[in-house]
């Protein structure tokens, strides 16, 4: 790399302001064959256009991103600041123009976890991009596609089929989890997550499905997503084993709660594996039905048969999962209920585990199941991971426990802004920032996106008088404006196909591009477009 030192000197009078305009360009050998030459020529063209133009372009790029993502809250300045902080970092962390990179646990803001990519990219961060910048979401999933061969290698190394993604992933996608770390007493401690935290593969599959449902990007599903779903399903099909009790078990894993290692039938892992197997089979059926040419290519390349898809379905229905019909509880893993609820070898949980299932699969079980599991697991959770309180805020809000939701919301907001975990020097916790946004969108605003309609069940936090947010969904651009008292929602539809919208339990109304709809209690009415539009600008 060429490096030239430069020096500048000025004569400055007291009180005089000197402005230094510095332009630089960075290219790497990943971008072009001759990075130094490319950087020089780019810099020349930017300099020719002038510093003011570069600043104006920058401001414009940020204006567009804030327009697509800004969340506005009236009545709670701390929450407003926390959400803007979260959105700023989430926007900064993604690069829709490069689909060979993903987002590390601390983005590019610090060195903790060495830039490695974990499950939170798919489960905690991705929804933000899906609904505010789908191109960025797609690029993140393409990173997983480009690292699929490494996942295939890892599955093979585990004597399994299909694809097992790296628990900690970097440029190649090969497992990057350190086998040991040095503990506080100076001794080496084995790190088992890289071997046992298998749910990552189903998390990636979940994200593929999630992106496709929310965007309708069929080309992605047909050419990329289906392959990920099939290969990850194949991993579970070879890793789960049907035992003499007639059920399939997934043994010796670590769930999101990393305090308990080498456990059997972790609830989160098993539910996600079932989802993975079912959705792989759905994706195959969809391709066969609707994308015959893509199906022919994929099925030949991956040698997928009807029999294999049937086996996935059969296996999915025999993997042991809860909830128990009597207590409504999921047992976090086999034997968890028999542990002491204090002390070592205890029930204490590092982070949301079963509770994440409530956040991801709300519609799948009755509210009573979510309530029972939340009341059981929340008091046993110590929030030793930054990923934990935001999910609790989301679920508490959905359950209507607003005081608790507010406490968890603040706890999440203070992870970086008040360093309440003491480790902010390692960089911002991007997954936790994503969880704050998700708590707002899916818990507090209570937005539920279905096949072709939106149902709203808002629970604004105690001091929040108003909440506004934009949303992109299946090619439509919407702006939603929630009001606490009286409980009222206005939805401006900027463009896209007609859909229906309702408050939970209320009548559904058609919503069309160019119109604004107000929903209040059981009634809805067409309002004025300008109101929301100007509130957002
Ligand atoms: O992915 C997380 C994990 O869930 C808990 N330990 C830290 C990781 C990186 O943030």
């Amino acid at each position: 790399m060429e490096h030239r030192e430069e020096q500048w000197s000025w004569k400055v009078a007291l009180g005089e302001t000197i402005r230094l305009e510095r332009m630089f360009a960075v290219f790497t050998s990943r971008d072009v064959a001759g990075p130094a030459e490319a950087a020089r020529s780019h810099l020349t063209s930017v300099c020719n256009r002038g510093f003011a133009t570069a600043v104006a372009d920058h401001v414009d790029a940020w204006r567009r991103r804030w327009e697509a993502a800004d969340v506005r809250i009236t009545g709670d300045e701390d929450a407003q600041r926390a959400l803007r902080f979260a959105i700023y970092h989430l926007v900064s962390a993604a690069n829709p123009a490069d689909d060979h990179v993903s987002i590390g646990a601390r983005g590019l803001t610090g060195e903790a976890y060495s830039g490695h990519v974990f499950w939170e990219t798919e489960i905690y961060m991705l929804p933000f991009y899906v609904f505010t910048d789908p191109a960025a979401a797609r690029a993140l999933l393409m990173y997983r596609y480009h690292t699929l061969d490494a996942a295939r290698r890892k599955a093979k190394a585990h004597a399994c089929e299909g694809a097992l993604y790296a628990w900690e992933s970097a440029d190649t996608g090969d497992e990057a989890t350190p086998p040991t770390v040095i503990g506080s007493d100076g001794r080496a401690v084995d790190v088992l997550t890289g071997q046992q935290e298998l749910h990552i593969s189903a998390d990636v599959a979940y994200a593929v499905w999630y992106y496709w449902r929310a965007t309708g990007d069929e080309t992605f599903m047909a050419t990329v997503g289906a392959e990920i779903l099939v290969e990850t399903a194949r991993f579970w099909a070879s890793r789960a084993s049907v035992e003499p009790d007639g059920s399939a078990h997934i043994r010796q894993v670590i769930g999101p709660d990393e305090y308990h290692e080498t456990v059997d039938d972790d609830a989160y892992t098993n539910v996600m594996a079932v989802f993975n197997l079912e959705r792989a089979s759905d994706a195959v059926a969809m391709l066969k039905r609707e994308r015959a040419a893509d199906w022919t290519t994929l099925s030949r390349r991956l040698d997928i048969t009807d029999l294999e898809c049937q086996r996935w379905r059969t296996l999915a229905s025999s993997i042991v999962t809860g909830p128990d019909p009597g207590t409504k509880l999921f047992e976090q893993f086999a034997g968890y209920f028999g542990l002491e609820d204090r002390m070592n070898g205890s029930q204490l949980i590092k982070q949301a585990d079963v509770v994440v299932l409530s956040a991801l699969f709300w519609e799948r079980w009755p509210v009573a199941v979510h309530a029972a599991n939340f009341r059981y697991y929340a008091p046993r959770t110590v929030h030793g991971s930054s990923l934990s309180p935001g999910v609790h805020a989301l679920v508490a809000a959905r359950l209507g426990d607003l005081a608790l939701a507010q406490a968890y919301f603040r706890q999440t907001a203070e992870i970086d802004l008040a360093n309440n975990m003491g480790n902010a020097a390692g960089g911002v916790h991007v997954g936790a920032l994503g969880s704050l946004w998700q708590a707002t969108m899916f818990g507090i605003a209570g937005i539920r996106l279905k096949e072709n309609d939106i149902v709203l069940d808002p629970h604004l936090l105690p001091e929040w008088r108003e909440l506004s947010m934009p949303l992109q969904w299946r090619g439509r651009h919407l702006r939603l404006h929630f009001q606490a008292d009286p409980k009222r929602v206005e939805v401006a539809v900027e463009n896209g196909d007609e859909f229906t919208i309702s408050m939970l339990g209320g009548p559904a109304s058609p919503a069309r591009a160019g119109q604004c709809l107000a929903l209040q209690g059981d009634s809805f009415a067409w309002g004025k477009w300008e109101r929301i539009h100007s509130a957002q600008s």
Side-chain angles (χ1 to χ4, degrees), residues 105 113 118-120 167 197 256 258 350-351 385-387:
Y113 297 113
F118 292 76
W119 71 308
E120 58 250 46
W167 174 244
E197 205 153 349
E258 295 166 343
K350 177 179 181 181
Q351 67 194 87
S385 161
S386 63
L387 299 176

Side-chain angles (χ1 to χ4, degrees), residues 402-433:
L402 299 189
L404 204 52
Q406 186 171 45
Y408 286 126
F409 185 95
R410 287 191 177 145
Q411 188 177 345
T412 313
E414 288 174 3
I415 290 170
D416 293 311
L417 287 173
N419 196 16
N420 67 5
M421 296 185 75
N423 60 7
V428 299
H429 299 72
V430 192
L433 298 174

Side-chain angles (χ1 to χ4, degrees), residues 60-82:
D60 191 51
W62 267 107
R63 184 191 51 73
R64 277 184 276 113
R65 283 172 171 80
W66 278 114
E67 237 171 47
D70 193 18
V71 174
R72 297 192 180 191
I73 298 162
T74 315
D76 186 342
E77 279 180 24
D78 288 346
Q80 173 70 83
R81 187 171 53 246

Side-chain angles (χ1 to χ4, degrees), residues 95-102 134-144 146 211:
N95 182 1
D98 188 344
D99 65 12
H100 283 266
V101 295
S102 185
R138 192 181 207 276
L140 292 173
L141 293 170
M142 288 306 294
Y143 162 79
R144 293 297 192 181
H146 294 309
Y211 167 81

